[in-house]
Amino acid sequence: MGQPVERAGGAAAHSELPPGQRLQRGWPVTHYGPVPRFRPERWEFRVFGATADGGKRCWSHEEFAALPYAGVTADLHCVTKFSMLGAEWGGVRARTILEIAPPAPAVTHVMVWAEYGFSSNLRLADFAAERTIFATHKDGELLTAEHGFPLRLVVPHLYAWKGPKWVRGVEYMTADRRGFWEERGYHNIGDPWREQRYSYQEEPGDGPEL
Ligand SMILES: Nc1nc2c(c(=O)[nH]1)N[C@H]1C(S)=C(S)[C@@H](COP(=O)(O)O)O[C@H]1N2
Ligand SMILES: [Mo]
């Protein structure tokens, strides 16, 4: 058994494999659809929905790059059963976004939006966890296009589909709503330590009716 090395948001940062996962050497590319082309002049990161002041916030690529930079060591667990351990992610903590663009008190969930309408829903607590990070870098290098450049979300304690690549914004929500894979048979919460892979495993309270 590995040692839990850190605690964040109630979830231990294990460096061991969750049940049913196998170690992957290298870093495979997994996603649905084409890799979007990055156009810096057209790119913006938006926070919208139930914000504290009712307004929207928007950052250009240059502005986003100037936000406080943090590093997080985290594993990636794909629901198709491979895991990559010990990546060093660099970028902007989701917490930082919550601080500078606070949600209204009634917000319980967020929808993270990416290019081509890809989305994933998270409980606010999962989004606010200390190690949830909008990554621009991995192991000291800029992300490559196929791994999500210029920005991807990493939610270390959940399956990797909960972290959209090519992220463009966050919607604050006062009720839960399913994202892209959560509507297509995957578990609404997606905790790999509990093997929450598929929506048929959901228990009452895990997610909105399908
Ligand atoms: N925009 C977008 N992000 C996505 C996906 C996707 O289909 N579209 N797939 C997810 C899944 S299932 C996994 S396992 C990881 C894979 O990230 P990687 O290709 O960098 O290994 O990206 C996640 N982010
Ligand atoms: Mo995945």
Side-chain angles (χ1 to χ4, degrees), residues 163-184:
K165 305 193 277 192
W166 314 294
V167 185
R168 291 292 300 276
V170 181
E171 177 185 357
Y172 293 156
M173 307 195 294
T174 55
D176 199 6
R177 216 166 73 220
R178 288 175 190 269
F180 183 86
W181 288 119
E182 295 83 2
E183 272 184 337
R184 290 169 176 76

Side-chain angles (χ1 to χ4, degrees), residues 123-139:
R123 296 175 295 196
L124 181 61
D126 291 322
F127 184 71
E130 198 183 336
R131 297 164 66 242
T132 300
I133 187 166
F134 287 101
T136 54
H137 290 72
K138 183 193 160 268
D139 297 328

Side-chain angles (χ1 to χ4, degrees), residues 27-34 36 76-80 82 84 89 113-119 138 143-144 146-148 152-153 159-167 180-181 186:
W27 190 11
V29 172
T30 316
H31 59 261
Y32 175 82
L76 207 70
H77 307 298
C78 176
V79 70
T80 62
F82 70 80
M84 178 179 77
W89 304 97
W113 288 99
E115 302 284 358
Y116 302 135
F118 184 86
S119 61
K138 183 193 160 268
L143 292 173
T144 56
E146 63 270 25
H147 287 300
R152 75 176 296 163
L153 186 68
Y159 282 118
W161 88 79
K162 287 291 188 180
K165 305 193 277 192
W166 314 294
V167 185
F180 183 86
W181 288 119
Y186 288 91

Side-chain angles (χ1 to χ4, degrees), residues 1-22:
M1 290 291 281
Q3 292 257 328
V5 292
E6 187 189 328
R7 288 200 167 262
H14 301 73
S15 238
E16 61 182 283
L17 289 174
Q21 295 293 110
R22 61 177 177 269

